[in-house]
Amino acid sequence: MDEALVLSRAECEDIVQRALTLSKADACRINIGASYQTNLRFADNQMSTSGISDDASITISSVFGKKRASVTTNDTSPDGLARAVAQSEALAKLSPDDPELMPELGAQTYASIPAWFDSTANLSAEDRAKAALTALEPARKAKDLTVAGFIDCSANATAIGTSAGLFAYHRSTGANYTLTVRTNDGTGSGWVGGDENDFSRIDFAGIATRAIDKARASRNPQAIEPGRYTVIFEPQAVSDLIGSVRGAMNARSAEEGRSPFSVRGPNGNGTKLGERIMDTRVTLVTDPADPQILGSPFDGEGMPTGRQVWVENGVLKQLAYSRFWAARKGVQPNSGGGGGFGGGGGGGLKMLGGDSTLDAMIQGTERAVLVTRLWYLRVVDGRTLVYTGLTRDGTFLVENGKVARSIKNFRFNDSPLFLLNNLEAVGPSVRVAEGGSVVPALKARDFSFTSLSDAV
């Protein structure tokens, strides 16, 4: 595979110009997404599928006054593009007015982010099979293990053009690997994953060793009483929970009193900007140019996505303003399309790391619950960010500085804001396989486990 298998900058510019030439709307935006994806799936100690797919989607958004509508097609022929433009214009004329519609952006300046790696783009089926064998071969030899995994790689191109003169183009690659190892007696489970732009940076053999060790160590879990425990969260568990902080950063929600960062009471209508809301060791940023993130330099509206510091040393430094809400409040927008935290394709959340390690956390702990990851999270109270969910794939009791034994999984009810206020140790930041975050392992006190789960 090479770069030619995704749309080039010149090809995207051609599509944008042809669509804009056809447009009769007051304003028009063209969003292009092209990808070439390869994957390999294995289960029950056997490779099961090896796939390739490629596609390109072109979304035409037409505006008449305050009316707007979009149509998406993957037909880039002259007739296909003309049909999509005409349909988007017909639908826009039928749409109700959008009082929050913002004008299309003109030309912008973007950072160049080196997110394309030939080691991922040129990957062959044999390369993926060799990676899978790092888990399959030891599992087959061991006889007491069953493994399942998924290797998903992609080469991508994204472009945006508007009738106001904006054009943006970015290309990237991505490689994601997740591995689950189960013991054949049905009582043990270990999960480890990796995610990089550069396939060669994923340590497949190391992932297999860790997942196998974790599965065997988690066999025959014993029940302990639910309650409040000191916890040691591996990075994936941290990401699973604190990812919810992203959406809560929405400035409009905070200023309208619907967020944990709203100031309530008789003197409400404000936010907690400038207040310390977390432990002083917590700094949360988004930065598409960070080498551990390598995200897109622009969002879905074409707005540049530079480095943003949301929480610094525990203090809430800023909230996420969409273009509409920023114009209403007279501030600079910093979140782009989607109305959330980073918006668009601006890259993931990063929590800066500390000087501890997972081993040091365990060795320095009298009693704690060690958690591999969380799943099935559901919000309980959006105003405090209390979530419920379950531990899975390796939960252990730490006693007297050692992993003492495997324990049954828990259901929890707790908030990432409480977790990030109760820190006792912070490890180095790593990019996790699920959620797109870069976060450290954490040790925190008083985490609330409310019931047991028989799930493995």
Side-chain angles (χ1 to χ4, degrees):
M1 189 176 79
D2 57 31
E3 183 184 346
L5 290 177
V6 296
L7 291 173
S8 67
R9 181 184 183 95
E11 289 171 319
C12 289
E13 285 181 315
D14 175 67
I15 292 170
V16 167
Q17 289 307 314
R18 284 194 288 132
L20 291 177
T21 300
L22 292 165
S23 174
K24 300 180 180 64
D26 296 342
C28 184
R29 184 202 308 164
I30 298 93
N31 289 71
I32 301 172
S35 67
Y36 186 95
Q37 293 187 298
T38 60
N39 63 73
L40 185 144
R41 188 185 300 276
F42 56 94
D44 197 21
N45 293 348
Q46 299 291 329
M47 295 188 202
S48 57
T49 60
S50 178
I52 296 175
S53 65
D54 67 288
D55 198 6
S57 66
I58 297 93
T59 298
I60 311 293
S61 300
S62 297
V63 175
F64 291 95
K66 286 290 186 179
K67 301 177 183 294
R68 181 177 184 273
S70 299
V71 167
T72 298
T73 181
N74 62 359
D75 184 351
T76 60
S77 69
D79 288 345
L81 209 55
R83 190 161 46 247
V85 171
Q87 289 175 340
S88 72
E89 292 179 351
L91 289 171
K93 291 175 181 175
L94 295 172
S95 300
D97 285 357
D98 179 356
E100 299 185 4
L101 186 66
M102 297 297 292
E104 295 298 340
L105 290 170
Q108 306 287 313
T109 300
Y110 304 108
S112 177
I113 296 177
W116 178 281
F117 290 83
D118 288 342
S119 60
T120 307
N122 297 326
L123 207 61
S124 68
E126 183 180 6
D127 294 328
R128 293 188 295 279
K130 287 180 179 176
L133 286 171
T134 61
L136 287 167
E137 287 182 340
R140 292 166 180 166
K141 184 178 180 181
K143 306 295 185 186
D144 65 334
L145 302 171
T146 300
V147 299
F150 189 53
I151 301 170
D152 186 20
C153 303
S154 63
N156 312 284
T158 305
I160 303 175
T162 73
S163 54
L166 177 148
F167 182 79
Y169 177 83
H170 174 68
R171 65 185 185 125
S172 64
T173 54
N176 182 273
Y177 177 46
T178 54
L179 172 66
T180 301
V181 181
R182 294 291 180 104
T183 58
N184 289 344
D185 62 5
T187 68
S189 180
W191 179 96
V192 181
D195 186 86
E196 297 285 350
N197 295 77
D198 180 355
F199 180 84
S200 67
R201 288 179 57 87
I202 296 180
D203 178 7
F204 288 92
I207 287 174
T209 299
R210 289 170 54 205
I212 289 171
D213 290 346
K214 191 180 288 285
R216 285 180 168 148
S218 66
R219 283 180 295 197
N220 302 312
Q222 300 174 26
I224 65 171
E225 284 294 319
R228 290 193 175 275
Y229 286 87
T230 294
V231 290
I232 299 172
F233 276 10
E234 294 190 9
Q236 184 61 59
V238 173
S239 174
D240 294 336
L241 189 58
I242 76 167
S244 60
V245 175
R246 301 175 62 178
M249 289 289 184
N250 185 285
R252 185 173 188 173
S253 297
E255 291 168 356
E256 292 181 343
R258 298 181 282 113
S259 151
F261 306 123
S262 304
V263 174
R264 304 186 183 89
N267 298 317
N269 300 324
T271 71
K272 295 183 179 178
L273 275 175
E275 295 184 21
R276 192 177 77 79
I277 59 170
M278 301 172 183
D279 185 279
T280 56
R281 286 167 286 187
V282 177
T283 294
L284 301 176
V285 305
T286 50
D287 183 0
D290 186 295
Q292 288 185 292
I293 297 174
L294 296 182
S296 173
F298 51 85
D299 66 18
E301 293 180 298
M303 197 170 76
T305 54
R307 177 181 171 85
Q308 304 285 346
V309 180
W310 306 96
V311 175
E312 187 172 39
N313 300 326
V315 175
L316 182 61
K317 302 298 290 186
Q318 63 174 333
L319 294 166
Y321 284 85
S322 67
R323 291 176 60 216
F324 168 77
W325 199 246
R328 172 76 69 88
K329 295 296 180 179
V331 300
Q332 289 296 312
N334 60 357
S335 73
F341 183 81
L349 176 71
K350 180 172 183 175
M351 177 177 168
L352 302 192
D355 57 4
S356 187
T357 65
L358 192 63
D359 287 343
M361 292 179 200
I362 293 170
Q363 291 165 8
T365 299
E366 182 176 347
R367 196 165 195 258
V369 174
L370 172 62
V371 178
T372 298
R373 66 170 179 149
L374 308 173
W375 74 299
Y376 213 72
L377 276 73
R378 295 292 183 272
V379 64
V380 175
D381 179 5
R383 291 195 171 189
T384 56
L385 280 190
V386 170
Y387 273 71
T388 188
L390 297 161
T391 63
R392 70 175 301 179
D393 294 319
T395 305
F396 303 92
L397 183 65
V398 174
E399 287 185 319
N400 302 318
K402 296 181 180 178
V403 176
R405 60 183 182 274
S406 170
I407 57 175
K408 287 195 171 185
N409 285 304
F410 283 117
R411 172 168 291 283
F412 70 88
N413 282 278
D414 215 315
S415 166
L417 300 178
F418 303 158
L419 179 83
L420 294 174
N421 262 298
N422 293 334
L423 294 184
E424 294 193 348
V426 179
S429 295
V430 299
R431 180 161 152 178
V432 300
E434 295 184 349
S437 300
V438 176
V439 294
L442 297 178
K443 178 182 172 183
R445 58 188 176 276
D446 294 333
F447 193 79
S448 177
F449 295 112
T450 53
S451 60
L452 290 169
S453 168
D454 287 329
V456 175

